[in-house]
Amino acid sequence: MTSHPRLTHRIADATLTVTVDGAPFTGREVVVAQRDHRFLFGCTGGDLVPSTGDPNGDDPAVPQDERLASLFLELFNFATLPFYWGWFEPVRGRPETERTLALARWFKERGRLVKGHPLAWHTVTADWLKDLPTDEIAREQVARIKRETTGFAGVVDMWDVVNEVVIMPIFDKYDNGITRLCREMGRIPMVRMLFEAAREGDPSATLLLNDFDMSAAYECLIEGLLEAGVRIDALGLQSHMHQGYWGEEKTLAVIDRFARYGLPIHFTETTIVSGHLMPEDIVDLNDYQIPEWPTTPEGEARQADEIARHYRTLLSHPAVAAATYWGFTDGGWLGAPGGFVRADGTPKPAYDALRSLVKEEWWVPPTTLATDAEGRVRFSGFLGDYEVSAAGRSAVFQLEAAGEVSVAAAL
Amino acid sequence: MTSHPRLTHRIADATLTVTVDGAPFTGREVVVAQRDHRFLFGCTGGDLVPSTGDPNGDDPAVPQDERLASLFLELFNFATLPFYWGWFEPVRGRPETERTLALARWFKERGRLVKGHPLAWHTVTADWLKDLPTDEIAREQVARIKRETTGFAGVVDMWDVVNEVVIMPIFDKYDNGITRLCREMGRIPMVRMLFEAAREGDPSATLLLNDFDMSAAYECLIEGLLEAGVRIDALGLQSHMHQGYWGEEKTLAVIDRFARYGLPIHFTETTIVSGHLMPEDIVDLNDYQIPEWPTTPEGEARQADEIARHYRTLLSHPAVAAATYWGFTDGGWLGAPGGFVRADGTPKPAYDALRSLVKEEWWVPPTTLATDAEGRVRFSGFLGDYEVSAAGRSAVFQLEAAGEVSVAAAL
């Protein structure tokens, strides 16, 4: 199995040459500080905004709880926002564009990459599709994708184009238009159509295929799509662990299997609960409905440990480029205590555990270094954005490749 | 679900016009009798031949036990013979062609369709492949397929070209050359290569993809192969039921899912035991190794009932064109009591149950009919080969399509 726990594939050993007005800034102290990670540490961003209960209300959907928002921004450089068609356009022709765009802009203005999830899915899809003939469902789905990818271009730069295609055509829990479309078109022609629509809508966006099925079925789907020439930018792997932490061995084995295709791997949906585990015999997690699922002190300690192990594992594999946690606060999907933050707004030990990795162990804090006779300083740091400052001036630079690199900054 | 228990899709309502020397054979009695089924009732044929213990022995591999052979021939019009590479060519360059060819000819001479199983598989494959670089494994695999499909052309008319591709590249129980080849090439390019080699070796052969994985993984694999333009003649579905009979509902649901591709469905490997069931927690059936697995009277009654239900279910779905039972006698794979015949050579109730369907309920015995003024008789019968005889002459004809058909026979 591929695992490099020392994370050397994510660390640059940098020689930074500092100049001022074109001349080497020699024999002086500078302060180097990391500003962002290249790795995408993400989380669902929708729960920063309380539901108004009125999907057509005029409230701009931006975070009101400043403390919650700042906890989020401290930890994450990447936010996934909900684009479930059934919520986004409950009434045909009346999409919820403005509320979602306001929230996306709020993240974008704070330098966060924003992903939309999902553009096509058989669950939480628009109910009104059921009344349409299949060819019209196809036209509506394509139009919807073009509308969102065009309308959010420059704000939402990444999309889960389609969610859970493996089960899509054989999903039998309830009738819906998307399952019918997928069954009639076949998986590959449908995915090709969806990706072409998204690519046309925003040629610069990063487009993902996303699934919870970690079996050979997803491998076979991916292989079929790649053989058919469908261009996929990254593979999304869900990892809802309501029934227990996967552990390092399983996680690395899964990554190895999906890394074979040479595409970046995004862990798109990770949940690790801080309460009791969901019973093992539940197959569809949605079938587990209980009135209350409390967070507990023992559960929170276990969650903190497992989250730290999980992120260490993900970063240890060179193929993983992103990790999105599913549910910043408790009580979201399934009412599970899966958040980094309790229902009362206080952070759990898991929050501190991840923060100590992202902003301490894997982070270059402001560090004073002395330039040599050629204006150079040497330091090692995680790939990402950096700032160097001295004498009241500052400049930004990036560490983009692991190993020995030379970079320059003009103060 | 698709099921037509009355089997009208397999029955012709025939008007047969009989002529003698070009003139209608009017107002006379004729005898109509079915000679064969169009549906392929198959079984593994290798256990008619006792193992010599000497794979390089000179014994021609033809059945010696005449009673066993006639029990087989009474029930089946189709035989699957073993071509496991590890048995067929244990020493590189010394294939077991003659023994296998003798057995195949024995079936062919008795009017039975013969299928070879399999041309490529990661299990029971040639051990010596492990010592080769991957590109040489590919060359050897292609050469092996061309050798067998050419060498057995006209005798073996159907092939399981490749077995269990879903798990092939991620099979991790032991090192083998075929898993390595599949992992390096990818499933679709490898299957394309294998089918092209088989098609080139015998353009008139019927070529199958075969798998035990009935999940969406096999669907995704098939969809990928069809999108990639790989020409597959029939889809093989395994159904080893050592852990219990599937039942009508599951069986029909599986068939429906794989019938979507418009290809004929072959049930390639059915086993239903007449002893205790294998425990449910066994995942790989090969892991269940016990010293003795006896057939029991209660088990035999259950097996007979389930086999009759299983064949009724298969025939009720129009997509199913063949059903091969795995192991004519007890004690084959896993030592399971899965045969139609006990270890002592006596037939079980399941034998009589299937015989009463194939040769009675679904069969037209010699039947005397009177031709009308235009030399016609009318009768209904299962699709297949027929003979009409009168006045010391006889002629053969076929019923090839269900519903009202007109056929002619010249005595």
Side-chain angles (χ1 to χ4, degrees):
Chain A
M1 275 190 296
T2 312
S3 175
H4 302 288
R6 292 182 52 239
L7 308 187
T8 48
H9 53 286
R10 303 200 182 272
I11 294 170
D13 299 309
T15 300
L16 167 68
T17 302
V18 185
T19 57
V20 172
D21 302 330
F25 191 61
T26 60
R28 302 282 293 274
E29 285 193 341
V30 298
V31 175
V32 169
Q34 190 169 352
R35 289 291 171 245
D36 198 2
H37 274 287
R38 178 190 175 105
F39 189 90
L40 296 175
F41 292 98
C43 193
T44 45
D47 47 357
L48 294 192
V49 183
S51 170
T52 62
D54 173 13
N56 298 311
D58 292 328
D59 303 352
V62 297
Q64 304 296 313
D65 183 335
E66 286 181 19
R67 182 155 181 282
L68 196 66
S70 78
L71 283 170
F72 185 104
L73 296 174
E74 167 70 7
L75 209 48
F76 301 114
N77 59 6
F78 176 36
T80 292
L81 300 189
F83 278 79
Y84 306 104
W85 202 354
W87 294 0
F88 193 85
E89 192 178 3
V91 179
R92 188 177 183 182
R94 294 177 57 187
E96 279 289 313
T97 309
E98 287 312 314
R99 271 181 65 82
T100 309
L101 195 53
L103 183 58
R105 282 193 179 122
W106 186 89
F107 282 107
K108 175 79 176 180
E109 285 160 5
R110 282 151 186 84
R112 269 59 186 178
L113 179 68
V114 184
K115 184 174 76 170
H117 168 91
L119 289 169
W121 191 27
H122 54 278
T123 301
V124 203
T125 192
D127 244 10
W128 46 266
L129 291 172
K130 278 193 298 192
D131 304 325
L132 305 182
T134 309
D135 57 347
E136 201 173 335
I137 295 175
R139 281 195 301 275
E140 284 287 337
Q141 175 67 80
V142 165
R144 192 261 158 143
I145 290 177
K146 289 186 183 171
R147 180 184 66 198
E148 267 61 283
T149 48
T150 304
F152 288 79
V155 183
V156 173
D157 294 319
M158 188 180 281
W159 295 95
D160 286 332
V161 176
V162 57
N163 203 27
E164 305 181 357
V165 180
V166 168
I167 203 177
M168 186 174 280
I170 52 173
F171 179 81
D172 60 4
K173 288 210 154 188
Y174 45 82
D175 181 35
N176 72 88
I178 301 303
T179 285
R180 200 205 311 158
L181 176 62
C182 192
R183 192 166 45 226
E184 289 193 20
M185 287 192 76
R187 293 174 175 93
I188 294 173
M190 178 163 166
V191 174
R192 181 193 286 118
M193 178 183 79
L194 305 176
F195 270 74
E196 283 177 355
R199 194 75 70 189
E200 188 184 324
D202 184 1
S204 66
T206 300
L207 304 183
L208 280 85
L209 181 73
N210 191 46
D211 215 298
F212 71 88
D213 189 326
M214 297 294 101
S215 78
Y218 194 28
E219 295 176 35
C220 290
L221 173 68
I222 293 164
E223 291 176 29
L225 289 166
L226 297 179
E227 281 290 324
V230 178
R231 195 183 127 209
I232 295 164
D233 297 321
L235 295 175
L237 309 185
Q238 298 182 20
S239 54
H240 293 291
M241 306 186 196
H242 297 75
Q243 292 169 310
Y245 172 51
W246 285 3
E248 288 82 354
E249 190 178 358
K250 171 178 170 177
T251 305
L252 288 170
V254 165
I255 300 169
D256 267 351
R257 279 171 43 232
F258 291 99
R260 279 188 293 154
Y261 307 110
L263 292 169
I265 300 293
H266 288 203
F267 269 63
T268 49
E269 306 184 23
T270 293
T271 314
I272 295 177
V273 295
S274 68
H276 69 265
L277 299 182
M278 186 187 291
E280 277 183 28
D281 60 323
I282 303 283
V283 175
D284 183 335
L285 304 189
N286 289 297
D287 291 341
Y288 189 67
Q289 301 285 351
I290 51 173
E292 204 182 353
W293 193 346
T295 186
T296 64
E298 320 81 70
E300 290 185 359
R302 186 191 64 226
Q303 182 201 37
D305 174 62
E306 291 171 348
I307 280 182
R309 289 166 58 195
H310 184 59
Y311 279 82
R312 282 190 193 282
T313 305
L314 297 187
L315 272 78
S316 78
H317 198 299
V320 181
T324 288
Y325 197 83
W326 205 255
F328 187 56
T329 55
D330 275 359
W333 184 44
L334 305 172
F340 282 105
V341 175
R342 300 183 193 96
D344 66 5
T346 55
K348 297 181 192 171
Y351 182 91
D352 300 320
L354 184 57
R355 195 201 161 281
S356 81
L357 293 174
V358 174
K359 284 297 181 67
E360 293 176 19
E361 186 174 329
W362 299 337
W363 187 256
V364 178
T367 304
T368 301
L369 300 166
T371 60
D372 67 10
E374 287 158 27
R376 296 177 306 196
V377 294
R378 289 184 182 77
F379 71 100
S380 293
F382 268 66
L383 303 185
D385 296 341
Y386 284 79
E387 186 175 81
V388 58
S389 54
R393 301 193 190 189
S394 70
V396 295
F397 61 97
Q398 280 79 40
L399 297 184
E400 294 182 331
E404 296 282 343
V405 295
S406 293
V407 285
L411 288 175
Chain B
M1 272 189 300
T2 311
S3 175
H4 303 288
R6 291 182 51 239
L7 308 186
T8 49
H9 53 287
R10 302 199 183 273
I11 294 171
D13 299 310
T15 300
L16 167 67
T17 302
V18 185
T19 56
V20 173
D21 301 331
F25 192 61
T26 60
R28 302 283 293 274
E29 285 193 338
V30 298
V31 176
V32 168
Q34 189 170 354
R35 289 289 170 248
D36 198 3
H37 274 287
R38 179 189 175 107
F39 189 90
L40 297 175
F41 291 98
C43 192
T44 46
D47 47 357
L48 294 192
V49 182
S51 169
T52 62
D54 174 12
N56 298 312
D58 293 328
D59 303 351
V62 297
Q64 304 296 311
D65 183 335
E66 285 181 20
R67 183 155 180 281
L68 196 66
S70 76
L71 283 169
F72 186 103
L73 295 175
E74 166 70 6
L75 210 47
F76 301 114
N77 58 7
F78 177 35
T80 293
L81 299 189
F83 279 78
Y84 306 104
W85 201 354
W87 296 0
F88 193 85
E89 193 178 1
V91 180
R92 187 178 184 181
R94 293 177 57 188
E96 278 289 314
T97 309
E98 286 312 314
R99 271 181 67 81
T100 309
L101 194 53
L103 183 58
R105 283 191 178 126
W106 186 88
F107 282 106
K108 174 79 175 181
E109 285 161 4
R110 282 152 187 81
R112 269 59 186 178
L113 179 68
V114 183
K115 183 173 77 170
H117 168 89
L119 289 169
W121 190 27
H122 54 277
T123 301
V124 202
T125 192
D127 244 10
W128 46 265
L129 290 172
K130 280 193 298 194
D131 304 326
L132 306 182
T134 309
D135 57 348
E136 200 172 337
I137 296 175
R139 281 196 300 275
E140 285 286 337
Q141 175 67 80
V142 164
R144 192 259 160 145
I145 290 177
K146 289 186 183 169
R147 180 184 65 197
E148 267 62 282
T149 49
T150 305
F152 287 78
V155 183
V156 174
D157 294 319
M158 188 181 281
W159 295 96
D160 286 333
V161 176
V162 57
N163 203 27
E164 305 179 356
V165 180
V166 168
I167 203 176
M168 186 175 278
I170 53 174
F171 179 81
D172 60 4
K173 287 211 153 187
Y174 45 82
D175 180 35
N176 73 87
I178 301 303
T179 286
R180 200 204 311 156
L181 176 62
C182 192
R183 190 164 50 226
E184 289 194 19
M185 287 192 78
R187 292 174 175 94
I188 294 173
M190 177 163 167
V191 174
R192 181 192 286 119
M193 178 183 80
L194 305 177
F195 270 74
E196 285 176 356
R199 194 76 70 191
E200 188 184 325
D202 184 1
S204 65
T206 300
L207 304 183
L208 280 85
L209 182 73
N210 192 45
D211 215 299
F212 71 88
D213 189 325
M214 297 296 101
S215 78
Y218 195 27
E219 295 175 36
C220 290
L221 174 68
I222 293 164
E223 291 176 29
L225 289 166
L226 296 179
E227 281 289 324
V230 178
R231 195 182 129 210
I232 295 164
D233 297 320
L235 295 175
L237 310 185
Q238 298 182 21
S239 55
H240 293 290
M241 306 186 196
H242 298 75
Q243 293 169 310
Y245 172 51
W246 286 4
E248 288 81 354
E249 190 178 358
K250 171 177 171 178
T251 306
L252 289 170
V254 166
I255 300 170
D256 267 352
R257 280 172 43 231
F258 292 99
R260 281 189 291 155
Y261 307 110
L263 293 169
I265 301 292
H266 288 202
F267 269 63
T268 49
E269 306 185 21
T270 292
T271 315
I272 295 178
V273 295
S274 68
H276 69 265
L277 299 182
M278 186 188 291
E280 277 183 27
D281 60 321
I282 304 284
V283 175
D284 183 334
L285 304 189
N286 290 299
D287 291 341
Y288 189 67
Q289 302 285 352
I290 51 173
E292 203 180 356
W293 193 346
T295 185
T296 64
E298 319 82 67
E300 291 185 359
R302 187 191 64 226
Q303 182 201 35
D305 174 61
E306 291 171 349
I307 280 182
R309 289 167 58 196
H310 184 59
Y311 279 82
R312 281 189 194 283
T313 306
L314 297 188
L315 271 78
S316 79
H317 198 299
V320 181
T324 288
Y325 197 84
W326 206 254
F328 187 56
T329 55
D330 275 0
W333 184 44
L334 305 173
F340 283 105
V341 174
R342 300 183 191 97
D344 66 6
T346 54
K348 297 181 192 172
Y351 183 90
D352 300 320
L354 184 56
R355 195 197 162 283
S356 82
L357 292 175
V358 173
K359 285 297 181 69
E360 293 176 20
E361 186 175 330
W362 299 336
W363 187 256
V364 178
T367 304
T368 301
L369 301 167
T371 59
D372 67 12
E374 286 160 29
R376 296 178 307 199
V377 295
R378 289 184 181 75
F379 71 100
S380 293
F382 268 66
L383 304 185
D385 296 340
Y386 285 79
E387 185 176 81
V388 57
S389 54
R393 302 193 189 188
S394 70
V396 294
F397 61 97
Q398 280 79 41
L399 297 184
E400 293 182 334
E404 297 282 342
V405 296
S406 293
V407 286
L411 288 175

